[in-house]
Amino acid sequence: MRILIVYFTMSGRTKKTAEGIASALTNHDVSYFPVELTGKFIEKIKKLDKFENNDYSAIEADFETLDALNYDLIIIGMPTYGNKPPKIFDEIINRMKNFDGKKAIVFSTARFSGGKSLDYMKAKVEGQGAQVIDQARFRKVLWIGVKNAIKFGNQLNEK
Ligand SMILES: Cc1cc2nc3c(=O)[nH]c(=O)nc-3n(C[C@H](O)[C@H](O)[C@H](O)COP(=O)(O)O)c2cc1C
């Protein structure tokens, strides 16, 4: 399968998890659409604040390339912000071309809660006509590691 992994990350945990999953997908071609906040902490917060206020001008050009057409499966990973994904999740789903009819997997990273975030993500993805075939939450208060991500990737790799 050709797999596109789409993720947003501010402190690197979701990126690390996405890469852990990808490392196990040895039977498949994996590409990424990453949205990573970079810079010092205060700069990251300012960038996040723009996204949370629906200002995506910094990544407008990237959004133009967000197209599910050439992929069999789209994996979407997000942090958890108060039982929901960040607002950029909705924007990504709204902007993704040719998503209708595709298979999708959603995953979230969290520190202590956030179970409802996956329900939110699943409903949004299905609202765009894609089919959610699996989901996972990677929750660790401190060091997240990649053990569970690799385990999830291994299961997917064998399917
Ligand atoms: C604004 C904000 C809100 C958050 N809210 C929650 C939350 O409600 N529940 C939770 O478990 N973690 C929460 N977290 C922690 C993140 O979801 C968690 O650390 C995530 O893995 C970060 O992903 P990242 O490193 O890819 O940015 C929050 C973090 C931030 C910055």
Side-chain angles (χ1 to χ4, degrees):
M1 284 197 297
R2 288 161 302 173
I3 301 175
L4 178 65
I5 303 185
V6 181
Y7 67 83
F8 169 78
T9 192
M10 183 163 83
S11 64
R13 289 161 53 100
T14 310
K15 176 181 183 172
K16 185 177 181 180
T17 304
E19 290 177 348
I21 295 170
S23 72
L25 298 175
T26 51
N27 295 337
H28 307 280
D29 281 344
V30 177
S31 304
Y32 289 102
F33 183 90
V35 181
E36 301 181 23
L37 299 186
T38 54
K40 292 185 180 150
F41 182 69
I42 189 70
E43 289 162 352
K44 289 185 182 184
I45 292 291
K46 282 181 184 165
K47 288 174 185 173
L48 176 64
D49 193 55
K50 281 194 175 177
F51 287 171
E52 290 292 302
N53 286 293
N54 298 314
D55 175 357
Y56 300 101
S57 51
I59 55 166
E60 202 55 51
D62 297 332
F63 271 141
E64 292 302 314
T65 69
L66 182 56
D67 194 333
L69 182 68
N70 293 325
Y71 300 97
D72 306 298
L73 174 69
I74 316 296
I75 300 177
I76 305 147
M78 290 284 143
T80 306
Y81 291 175
N83 264 324
K84 279 174 78 173
K87 278 196 180 172
I88 192 171
F89 168 75
D90 289 72
E91 195 69 12
I92 284 171
I93 300 305
N94 290 340
R95 298 278 196 108
M96 190 159 4
K97 298 176 193 79
N98 298 298
F99 197 28
D100 192 356
K102 293 287 178 182
K103 287 188 170 55
I105 290 175
V106 292
F107 77 85
S108 66
T109 63
R111 288 195 186 271
F112 45 84
S113 64
K116 288 188 183 135
S117 190
L118 282 177
D119 295 341
Y120 181 97
M121 291 172 73
K122 187 170 181 234
K124 177 74 187 168
V125 166
E126 290 183 342
Q128 293 297 107
Q131 181 199 358
V132 176
I133 59 165
D134 209 344
Q135 62 185 63
R137 178 163 57 130
F138 300 94
R139 183 164 59 104
K140 276 281 184 318
V141 177
L142 296 174
W143 178 248
I144 198 157
V146 287
K147 202 172 129 201
N148 289 336
I150 291 171
K151 192 173 160 194
F152 185 73
N154 276 330
Q155 287 163 2
L156 182 60
N157 196 46
E158 299 307 323
K159 274 186 187 170

